[in-house]
Amino acid sequence: MERANAWKAACAQARASLKAGERSEARRLARLAARMAPDQEEPWLILAATAAPAASLGYLKQALAINPESARARKGIRWAERRLAESGKAAKQLESEHNAAIALAPQWSNFALLATALLTAAFALFVWFRPAGADEGLRAVSKAAQDQYNAIFATVTPTPTATFTPTNTPTNTPTFTPTNTPTDTPTPTNTPTPTATFTPTNTLPPPPTATPVFELVVPDGIGENERWIDVDLSTQTLRAYEGDELIDLFTISSGRAGTPTVVGTFEVWVKVRIQDMSGPGYYIQDVPWVMYFHGDYGIHGTWWHNNFGTPMSAGCVNMTIADAQWLYSWASVGTVVNVHY
């Protein structure tokens, strides 16, 4: 009874925050309600109201899966799809305007070339058909302009002063005559008797470096046969355990250096069969088998790359679609996810 009241209270506070324009607080409270009551549609409807159109579709589909008769969920899906279509039209309009501007550029270039040609032809006609005396008038105008320029900008040129340059007087330098240097008589050098050369012994190669052994650390509070997930970012692997027994091992792709995967011990707070995902610089449709374990960080299937074993994501844990489907069926809401290096 207390749990039911808790999620309902969280939803009520989330709606109040959303009405007051506090979207981040409303989103936090709605997530809390969804974690406490993932089988209720109300938290998902509030999450959809606080998310971007692409992400809201996933939340609305989750609400509709919980209650297929939900008129609010169906209305919300139509609203989100309409907003996505409008944003797509806006992007196409910008692209069309950009292409039109590029298409006009050659026309303006041709106009500039035509104007230049006309000016050149007019000047040539003037030179050819100029009236008598025009040259003398032009020279007079040019000379007057030059005189005015000199009057304004000319500077006084200083009269150069003669500089005294001394004449070098040669000085006789005596030449030193070298004296004979006696040569030492060479002294015979005794050749030492060669000694035996030391032959090195064979050196044993260093022993091979031992491969580090994976050390299992079971998070606190895990029961003897409880299912939990271990994500090793150093080896880009994910392990599924029941207690301390390894059930399966998978190769993953975690977050890149600029968008690393969060580290810590968490719990799966919601599972979504399929949804669109968006963020700074990306929009991906139909992401399957999604399990969120901390905010927007989740484990999900990946169809847009096959470079597993290398960090590739914006923070989520990427798996192959088959591996993600198996893990989605094996784990449940509340399953512990331990992420570490």
Side-chain angles (χ1 to χ4, degrees):
M1 186 65 181
E2 292 181 359
R3 187 177 183 86
N5 292 333
W7 78 261
K8 288 180 180 178
C11 284
Q13 294 175 8
R15 285 193 295 270
S17 297
L18 187 60
K19 187 176 181 180
E22 300 173 353
R23 295 175 64 87
S24 298
E25 180 64 12
R27 186 178 179 86
R28 184 188 70 81
L29 291 168
R31 284 177 175 172
L32 179 62
R35 180 179 297 183
M36 291 187 290
D39 57 342
Q40 299 292 327
E41 67 171 314
E42 187 65 22
W44 304 108
L45 293 174
I46 299 174
L47 280 171
T50 63
S56 66
L57 272 178
Y59 295 129
L60 292 165
K61 289 177 182 178
Q62 180 69 10
L64 191 62
I66 294 171
N67 180 14
E69 303 301 325
S70 175
R72 290 188 297 168
R74 293 182 183 278
K75 182 179 179 181
I77 288 175
R78 290 194 296 271
W79 166 81
E81 289 176 343
R82 186 169 59 253
R83 285 186 61 189
L84 281 174
E86 291 173 353
S87 63
K89 290 179 181 177
K92 290 181 179 178
Q93 179 65 24
L94 288 175
E95 182 180 0
S96 176
E97 293 176 357
H98 176 69
N99 292 336
I102 292 176
L104 284 175
Q107 298 178 14
W108 283 107
S109 177
N110 292 336
F111 176 78
L113 290 174
L114 179 61
T116 303
L118 290 174
L119 288 174
T120 302
F123 181 74
L125 289 172
F126 171 76
V127 172
W128 184 261
F129 295 105
R130 66 188 183 278
D135 292 345
E136 187 63 30
L138 289 174
R139 282 194 293 270
V141 171
S142 176
K143 185 177 185 305
Q146 181 65 36
D147 292 341
Q148 185 177 4
Y149 176 86
N150 292 335
I152 296 173
F153 296 103
T155 58
V156 178
T157 304
T159 303
T161 304
T163 303
F164 173 73
T165 305
T167 303
N168 292 328
T169 303
T171 305
N172 291 328
T173 303
T175 302
F176 174 75
T177 303
T179 57
N180 292 328
T181 303
T183 303
D184 294 336
T185 303
T187 304
T189 304
N190 294 327
T191 303
T193 304
T195 57
T197 303
F198 174 74
T199 303
T201 58
N202 293 329
T203 304
L204 296 176
T209 304
T211 303
V213 179
F214 173 76
E215 182 179 356
L216 173 63
V217 179
V218 180
D220 295 336
I222 296 295
E224 182 178 356
N225 297 316
E226 182 179 351
R227 294 181 176 182
W228 62 284
I229 298 169
D230 183 86
V231 179
D232 190 335
L233 302 178
S234 297
T235 60
Q236 294 290 289
T237 54
L238 182 149
R239 293 175 170 84
Y241 285 97
E242 291 185 5
D244 58 358
E245 180 184 357
L246 177 64
I247 303 302
D248 213 335
L249 171 67
F250 308 95
T251 302
I252 62 162
S253 286
S254 65
R256 301 184 298 272
T259 55
T261 301
V262 65
V263 175
T265 302
F266 314 98
E267 293 181 2
V268 174
W269 65 272
V270 66
K271 297 170 65 178
V272 182
R273 165 66 182 79
I274 189 170
Q275 71 170 107
D276 297 345
M277 288 186 175
S278 63
Y282 70 91
Y283 172 68
I284 304 174
Q285 294 181 320
D286 299 331
V287 181
W289 313 115
V290 185
M291 294 193 298
Y292 289 104
F293 59 86
H294 178 70
D296 291 335
Y297 293 90
I299 303 169
H300 57 74
T302 308
W303 52 260
W304 53 93
H305 79 79
N306 193 35
N307 196 22
F308 298 99
T310 302
M312 292 287 293
S313 79
C316 288
V317 177
N318 291 180
M319 303 182 72
T320 67
I321 293 178
D323 292 347
Q325 182 178 6
W326 182 93
L327 192 68
Y328 186 94
S329 301
W330 179 83
S332 60
V333 173
T335 298
V336 171
V337 179
N338 185 41
V339 186
H340 61 89
Y341 283 97

